Amino acid sequence: MTIKINNRILSICCLFIVLVVAFVVRYKGITFGFPLITHPDEPFIVDAAKHIVSTKDLNPRMFLYPSLYIYMQSFVYISVFSVGKLIGIFHRFSDIGVTTFYFWGRMLTIILSVLTIYVVYLLGNLLFNRLVGVISTLFIGFSLLHVINSYIITTDSPMAFWISLSFFVSALNYINGPQLRYYILNGALIGCAVSTKYTAVWCFLPFIYVHLHHTSFSRIKL
């Protein structure tokens, strides 16, 4: 029992260290390009979100990307403005500087990226054990591509967050047996993923596979 408790404590400590370091690594890039906005894709999302907040028109009028992350960015801007107005920094929405939008918008991407690492740990622990979970966090936590996409306002890291959650629910459905709540939740998460980036549509495949597995569909035929 003591060994199990110690292993659990050790894995939690390792996970905490990975999450903290991963956050710091990503936060280091949050001012990338400032005071200029040099990434070509960020303005599409930021400008659409600012349009929604300033005009109160929920139509983003930009469909290069789906709308979910645009709405999430809009919520961040509303929150920043509300807090700033409360403490007397802002009086109008137009008082917010350009880099302020990008700073807090990028912070949302960083938070979702770090949460993705935690979900990957849960997956590794669920399907294998705590050691695999911790090792998995190292792979994604310090993956160069994931780090680079974690401090800019693009849809890649947020999409990875929704996909990882969807896959986690598929794993729960696989292990615990088919349950209606898993189907409903997984459908919602797949919807969130596709509403963040169109190419996330392929994350429905684990969902389908688990269903076929529980209905005894022949793997040879598949």
PDB file of all heavy atoms in Angstrom, residues 45-56 70 73-74 77 93 96-98 101-102:
ATOM      1  N   ILE A  45      -8.509  35.798 -36.884  1.00  0.00           N
ATOM      2  CA  ILE A  45      -9.310  35.431 -35.718  1.00  0.00           C
ATOM      3  C   ILE A  45      -9.538  36.638 -34.812  1.00  0.00           C
ATOM      4  O   ILE A  45     -10.652  36.889 -34.350  1.00  0.00           O
ATOM      5  CB  ILE A  45      -8.630  34.291 -34.943  1.00  0.00           C
ATOM      6  CG1 ILE A  45      -8.549  33.039 -35.817  1.00  0.00           C
ATOM      7  CG2 ILE A  45      -9.373  33.992 -33.638  1.00  0.00           C
ATOM      8  CD1 ILE A  45      -7.800  31.885 -35.197  1.00  0.00           C
ATOM      9  N   VAL A  46      -8.483  37.402 -34.559  1.00  0.00           N
ATOM     10  CA  VAL A  46      -8.578  38.538 -33.644  1.00  0.00           C
ATOM     11  C   VAL A  46      -9.543  39.591 -34.189  1.00  0.00           C
ATOM     12  O   VAL A  46     -10.415  40.090 -33.460  1.00  0.00           O
ATOM     13  CB  VAL A  46      -7.188  39.155 -33.395  1.00  0.00           C
ATOM     14  CG1 VAL A  46      -7.311  40.429 -32.562  1.00  0.00           C
ATOM     15  CG2 VAL A  46      -6.284  38.147 -32.694  1.00  0.00           C
ATOM     16  N   ASP A  47      -9.403  39.938 -35.457  1.00  0.00           N
ATOM     17  CA  ASP A  47     -10.274  40.973 -36.029  1.00  0.00           C
ATOM     18  C   ASP A  47     -11.735  40.527 -36.043  1.00  0.00           C
ATOM     19  O   ASP A  47     -12.639  41.335 -35.798  1.00  0.00           O
ATOM     20  CB  ASP A  47      -9.819  41.312 -37.446  1.00  0.00           C
ATOM     21  CG  ASP A  47      -8.467  42.022 -37.468  1.00  0.00           C
ATOM     22  OD1 ASP A  47      -8.034  42.496 -36.395  1.00  0.00           O
ATOM     23  OD2 ASP A  47      -7.847  42.093 -38.552  1.00  0.00           O
ATOM     24  N   ALA A  48     -11.978  39.247 -36.321  1.00  0.00           N
ATOM     25  CA  ALA A  48     -13.347  38.748 -36.310  1.00  0.00           C
ATOM     26  C   ALA A  48     -13.936  38.792 -34.910  1.00  0.00           C
ATOM     27  O   ALA A  48     -15.105  39.155 -34.718  1.00  0.00           O
ATOM     28  CB  ALA A  48     -13.393  37.318 -36.863  1.00  0.00           C
ATOM     29  N   ALA A  49     -13.128  38.448 -33.911  1.00  0.00           N
ATOM     30  CA  ALA A  49     -13.590  38.485 -32.518  1.00  0.00           C
ATOM     31  C   ALA A  49     -13.850  39.919 -32.071  1.00  0.00           C
ATOM     32  O   ALA A  49     -14.847  40.204 -31.388  1.00  0.00           O
ATOM     33  CB  ALA A  49     -12.558  37.828 -31.614  1.00  0.00           C
ATOM     34  N   LYS A  50     -12.976  40.836 -32.438  1.00  0.00           N
ATOM     35  CA  LYS A  50     -13.178  42.247 -32.091  1.00  0.00           C
ATOM     36  C   LYS A  50     -14.444  42.792 -32.752  1.00  0.00           C
ATOM     37  O   LYS A  50     -15.175  43.590 -32.147  1.00  0.00           O
ATOM     38  CB  LYS A  50     -11.958  43.073 -32.525  1.00  0.00           C
ATOM     39  CG  LYS A  50     -10.721  42.820 -31.678  1.00  0.00           C
ATOM     40  CD  LYS A  50      -9.474  43.427 -32.300  1.00  0.00           C
ATOM     41  CE  LYS A  50      -9.577  44.922 -32.458  1.00  0.00           C
ATOM     42  NZ  LYS A  50      -8.336  45.483 -33.050  1.00  0.00           N
ATOM     43  N   HIS A  51     -14.713  42.360 -33.981  1.00  0.00           N
ATOM     44  CA  HIS A  51     -15.924  42.794 -34.684  1.00  0.00           C
ATOM     45  C   HIS A  51     -17.172  42.340 -33.931  1.00  0.00           C
ATOM     46  O   HIS A  51     -18.128  43.112 -33.779  1.00  0.00           O
ATOM     47  CB  HIS A  51     -15.922  42.218 -36.101  1.00  0.00           C
ATOM     48  CG  HIS A  51     -17.235  42.364 -36.807  1.00  0.00           C
ATOM     49  ND1 HIS A  51     -17.643  43.540 -37.401  1.00  0.00           N
ATOM     50  CD2 HIS A  51     -18.256  41.475 -36.997  1.00  0.00           C
ATOM     51  CE1 HIS A  51     -18.841  43.375 -37.930  1.00  0.00           C
ATOM     52  NE2 HIS A  51     -19.231  42.139 -37.697  1.00  0.00           N
ATOM     53  N   ILE A  52     -17.155  41.109 -33.433  1.00  0.00           N
ATOM     54  CA  ILE A  52     -18.299  40.583 -32.691  1.00  0.00           C
ATOM     55  C   ILE A  52     -18.556  41.398 -31.434  1.00  0.00           C
ATOM     56  O   ILE A  52     -19.694  41.759 -31.119  1.00  0.00           O
ATOM     57  CB  ILE A  52     -18.071  39.101 -32.339  1.00  0.00           C
ATOM     58  CG1 ILE A  52     -18.153  38.241 -33.603  1.00  0.00           C
ATOM     59  CG2 ILE A  52     -19.087  38.614 -31.305  1.00  0.00           C
ATOM     60  CD1 ILE A  52     -17.811  36.788 -33.382  1.00  0.00           C
ATOM     61  N   VAL A  53     -17.485  41.717 -30.705  1.00  0.00           N
ATOM     62  CA  VAL A  53     -17.640  42.454 -29.447  1.00  0.00           C
ATOM     63  C   VAL A  53     -18.068  43.897 -29.704  1.00  0.00           C
ATOM     64  O   VAL A  53     -18.972  44.414 -29.042  1.00  0.00           O
ATOM     65  CB  VAL A  53     -16.327  42.431 -28.644  1.00  0.00           C
ATOM     66  CG1 VAL A  53     -16.460  43.261 -27.372  1.00  0.00           C
ATOM     67  CG2 VAL A  53     -15.946  40.999 -28.296  1.00  0.00           C
ATOM     68  N   SER A  54     -17.449  44.548 -30.663  1.00  0.00           N
ATOM     69  CA  SER A  54     -17.715  45.976 -30.892  1.00  0.00           C
ATOM     70  C   SER A  54     -19.075  46.224 -31.532  1.00  0.00           C
ATOM     71  O   SER A  54     -19.696  47.259 -31.273  1.00  0.00           O
ATOM     72  CB  SER A  54     -16.607  46.589 -31.752  1.00  0.00           C
ATOM     73  OG  SER A  54     -16.528  45.927 -33.010  1.00  0.00           O
ATOM     74  N   THR A  55     -19.549  45.283 -32.365  1.00  0.00           N
ATOM     75  CA  THR A  55     -20.827  45.481 -33.065  1.00  0.00           C
ATOM     76  C   THR A  55     -21.966  44.678 -32.454  1.00  0.00           C
ATOM     77  O   THR A  55     -23.113  44.880 -32.833  1.00  0.00           O
ATOM     78  CB  THR A  55     -20.687  45.095 -34.548  1.00  0.00           C
ATOM     79  OG1 THR A  55     -20.413  43.681 -34.646  1.00  0.00           O
ATOM     80  CG2 THR A  55     -19.573  45.893 -35.229  1.00  0.00           C
ATOM     81  N   LYS A  56     -21.625  43.743 -31.551  1.00  0.00           N
ATOM     82  CA  LYS A  56     -22.622  42.833 -30.961  1.00  0.00           C
ATOM     83  C   LYS A  56     -23.315  41.995 -32.032  1.00  0.00           C
ATOM     84  O   LYS A  56     -24.446  41.543 -31.853  1.00  0.00           O
ATOM     85  CB  LYS A  56     -23.657  43.605 -30.131  1.00  0.00           C
ATOM     86  CG  LYS A  56     -23.045  44.340 -28.933  1.00  0.00           C
ATOM     87  CD  LYS A  56     -24.098  45.068 -28.142  1.00  0.00           C
ATOM     88  CE  LYS A  56     -23.514  45.701 -26.885  1.00  0.00           C
ATOM     89  NZ  LYS A  56     -22.433  46.657 -27.184  1.00  0.00           N
ATOM     90  N   ILE A  70     -13.196  31.811 -32.413  1.00  0.00           N
ATOM     91  CA  ILE A  70     -13.471  33.242 -32.531  1.00  0.00           C
ATOM     92  C   ILE A  70     -14.372  33.694 -31.393  1.00  0.00           C
ATOM     93  O   ILE A  70     -14.137  34.731 -30.758  1.00  0.00           O
ATOM     94  CB  ILE A  70     -14.116  33.555 -33.895  1.00  0.00           C
ATOM     95  CG1 ILE A  70     -13.134  33.237 -35.028  1.00  0.00           C
ATOM     96  CG2 ILE A  70     -14.570  35.010 -33.966  1.00  0.00           C
ATOM     97  CD1 ILE A  70     -13.724  33.373 -36.411  1.00  0.00           C
ATOM     98  N   GLN A  73     -12.400  33.764 -28.179  1.00  0.00           N
ATOM     99  CA  GLN A  73     -11.580  34.975 -28.121  1.00  0.00           C
ATOM    100  C   GLN A  73     -12.445  36.190 -27.782  1.00  0.00           C
ATOM    101  O   GLN A  73     -12.029  37.064 -27.007  1.00  0.00           O
ATOM    102  CB  GLN A  73     -10.881  35.196 -29.466  1.00  0.00           C
ATOM    103  CG  GLN A  73      -9.733  34.245 -29.747  1.00  0.00           C
ATOM    104  CD  GLN A  73      -8.518  34.519 -28.870  1.00  0.00           C
ATOM    105  OE1 GLN A  73      -8.179  35.663 -28.599  1.00  0.00           O
ATOM    106  NE2 GLN A  73      -7.862  33.464 -28.435  1.00  0.00           N
ATOM    107  N   SER A  74     -13.648  36.239 -28.326  1.00  0.00           N
ATOM    108  CA  SER A  74     -14.562  37.340 -28.019  1.00  0.00           C
ATOM    109  C   SER A  74     -14.857  37.395 -26.524  1.00  0.00           C
ATOM    110  O   SER A  74     -14.901  38.477 -25.931  1.00  0.00           O
ATOM    111  CB  SER A  74     -15.876  37.168 -28.797  1.00  0.00           C
ATOM    112  OG  SER A  74     -15.652  37.170 -30.184  1.00  0.00           O
ATOM    113  N   TYR A  77     -11.975  38.979 -24.752  1.00  0.00           N
ATOM    114  CA  TYR A  77     -11.914  40.435 -24.929  1.00  0.00           C
ATOM    115  C   TYR A  77     -12.971  41.134 -24.069  1.00  0.00           C
ATOM    116  O   TYR A  77     -12.702  42.201 -23.497  1.00  0.00           O
ATOM    117  CB  TYR A  77     -12.104  40.799 -26.398  1.00  0.00           C
ATOM    118  CG  TYR A  77     -11.095  40.163 -27.328  1.00  0.00           C
ATOM    119  CD1 TYR A  77     -11.339  40.037 -28.684  1.00  0.00           C
ATOM    120  CD2 TYR A  77      -9.888  39.659 -26.839  1.00  0.00           C
ATOM    121  CE1 TYR A  77     -10.415  39.453 -29.531  1.00  0.00           C
ATOM    122  CE2 TYR A  77      -8.964  39.073 -27.674  1.00  0.00           C
ATOM    123  CZ  TYR A  77      -9.237  38.956 -29.028  1.00  0.00           C
ATOM    124  OH  TYR A  77      -8.336  38.367 -29.867  1.00  0.00           O
ATOM    125  N   PHE A  93     -14.465  50.303 -25.423  1.00  0.00           N
ATOM    126  CA  PHE A  93     -13.804  49.111 -25.962  1.00  0.00           C
ATOM    127  C   PHE A  93     -12.617  49.502 -26.836  1.00  0.00           C
ATOM    128  O   PHE A  93     -11.610  48.793 -26.891  1.00  0.00           O
ATOM    129  CB  PHE A  93     -14.804  48.267 -26.759  1.00  0.00           C
ATOM    130  CG  PHE A  93     -14.257  46.961 -27.235  1.00  0.00           C
ATOM    131  CD1 PHE A  93     -13.955  45.946 -26.339  1.00  0.00           C
ATOM    132  CD2 PHE A  93     -14.034  46.737 -28.582  1.00  0.00           C
ATOM    133  CE1 PHE A  93     -13.438  44.723 -26.776  1.00  0.00           C
ATOM    134  CE2 PHE A  93     -13.526  45.524 -29.035  1.00  0.00           C
ATOM    135  CZ  PHE A  93     -13.228  44.516 -28.125  1.00  0.00           C
ATOM    136  N   ILE A  96      -8.750  49.735 -25.632  1.00  0.00           N
ATOM    137  CA  ILE A  96      -7.847  48.589 -25.477  1.00  0.00           C
ATOM    138  C   ILE A  96      -6.811  48.603 -26.593  1.00  0.00           C
ATOM    139  O   ILE A  96      -7.156  48.688 -27.781  1.00  0.00           O
ATOM    140  CB  ILE A  96      -8.622  47.258 -25.494  1.00  0.00           C
ATOM    141  CG1 ILE A  96      -9.709  47.261 -24.419  1.00  0.00           C
ATOM    142  CG2 ILE A  96      -7.674  46.081 -25.290  1.00  0.00           C
ATOM    143  CD1 ILE A  96     -10.567  46.010 -24.422  1.00  0.00           C
ATOM    144  N   GLY A  97      -5.540  48.517 -26.237  1.00  0.00           N
ATOM    145  CA  GLY A  97      -4.474  48.502 -27.231  1.00  0.00           C
ATOM    146  C   GLY A  97      -4.412  47.188 -27.991  1.00  0.00           C
ATOM    147  O   GLY A  97      -4.874  46.148 -27.512  1.00  0.00           O
ATOM    148  N   VAL A  98      -3.823  47.248 -29.168  1.00  0.00           N
ATOM    149  CA  VAL A  98      -3.759  46.060 -30.030  1.00  0.00           C
ATOM    150  C   VAL A  98      -3.011  44.919 -29.348  1.00  0.00           C
ATOM    151  O   VAL A  98      -3.467  43.772 -29.343  1.00  0.00           O
ATOM    152  CB  VAL A  98      -3.071  46.414 -31.373  1.00  0.00           C
ATOM    153  CG1 VAL A  98      -2.849  45.150 -32.200  1.00  0.00           C
ATOM    154  CG2 VAL A  98      -3.897  47.416 -32.141  1.00  0.00           C
ATOM    155  N   PHE A 101      -5.048  42.897 -26.791  1.00  0.00           N
ATOM    156  CA  PHE A 101      -5.885  41.847 -27.380  1.00  0.00           C
ATOM    157  C   PHE A 101      -5.067  40.584 -27.621  1.00  0.00           C
ATOM    158  O   PHE A 101      -5.485  39.472 -27.279  1.00  0.00           O
ATOM    159  CB  PHE A 101      -6.485  42.315 -28.709  1.00  0.00           C
ATOM    160  CG  PHE A 101      -7.594  43.313 -28.574  1.00  0.00           C
ATOM    161  CD1 PHE A 101      -7.439  44.604 -29.034  1.00  0.00           C
ATOM    162  CD2 PHE A 101      -8.798  42.945 -27.997  1.00  0.00           C
ATOM    163  CE1 PHE A 101      -8.467  45.532 -28.922  1.00  0.00           C
ATOM    164  CE2 PHE A 101      -9.841  43.859 -27.877  1.00  0.00           C
ATOM    165  CZ  PHE A 101      -9.668  45.158 -28.334  1.00  0.00           C
ATOM    166  N   TYR A 102      -3.913  40.760 -28.220  1.00  0.00           N
ATOM    167  CA  TYR A 102      -3.100  39.608 -28.589  1.00  0.00           C
ATOM    168  C   TYR A 102      -2.504  38.920 -27.358  1.00  0.00           C
ATOM    169  O   TYR A 102      -2.383  37.690 -27.333  1.00  0.00           O
ATOM    170  CB  TYR A 102      -1.992  40.040 -29.565  1.00  0.00           C
ATOM    171  CG  TYR A 102      -2.496  40.186 -30.976  1.00  0.00           C
ATOM    172  CD1 TYR A 102      -3.092  41.365 -31.407  1.00  0.00           C
ATOM    173  CD2 TYR A 102      -2.404  39.133 -31.876  1.00  0.00           C
ATOM    174  CE1 TYR A 102      -3.572  41.499 -32.700  1.00  0.00           C
ATOM    175  CE2 TYR A 102      -2.876  39.251 -33.173  1.00  0.00           C
ATOM    176  CZ  TYR A 102      -3.465  40.436 -33.576  1.00  0.00           C
ATOM    177  OH  TYR A 102      -3.946  40.561 -34.861  1.00  0.00           O
TER     178      TYR A 102
END
